[in-house]
Amino acid sequence: MATSAVKTLRPMAKNVSFTDESMTVHLADDASITLPIAWFPQLAAATADQRQQWELLGGGVGLHWEEIDEDISVPGLLGLPCQ
């Protein structure tokens, strides 16, 4: 009997952009998710320059803003379990 492994893909961020009202996370598979910035109080209170000072965590599994002490899980944005 042959078996095959099911490969589960984790969503990975590659970029983040902002407007005054929203944050868009651009994913490695070229999809994107746009959410109200009001859902993220630390980002909503940050300056535009502070919002641009982000870095990828775990190769894109998360996003981090050092100066404002904010971390966001990409799977969490999509309602998926964080592994």
Side-chain angles (χ1 to χ4, degrees), residues 12-34:
M12 306 290 269
K14 66 178 180 180
N15 198 6
V16 182
S17 59
F18 293 92
T19 68
D20 289 339
E21 285 100 29
S22 66
M23 172 178 72
T24 300
V25 178
H26 306 274
L27 304 176
D29 67 357
D30 292 326
S32 62
I33 181 169
T34 300

Side-chain angles (χ1 to χ4, degrees), residues 4-74:
S4 63
V6 175
K7 184 176 181 179
T8 57
L9 300 175
R10 291 194 303 178
M12 306 290 269
K14 66 178 180 180
N15 198 6
V16 182
S17 59
F18 293 92
T19 68
D20 289 339
E21 285 100 29
S22 66
M23 172 178 72
T24 300
V25 178
H26 306 274
L27 304 176
D29 67 357
D30 292 326
S32 62
I33 181 169
T34 300
L35 301 159
I37 200 163
W39 289 7
F40 308 93
Q42 293 288 97
L43 289 171
T47 66
D49 186 55
Q50 288 172 317
R51 290 180 194 147
Q52 295 305 315
Q53 303 306 313
W54 59 272
E55 62 183 294
L56 293 175
L57 295 176
V61 177
L63 302 163
H64 175 70
W65 288 262
E66 179 74 28
E67 187 173 341
I68 62 170
D69 193 29
E70 178 74 305
D71 295 301
I72 296 175
S73 158
V74 175

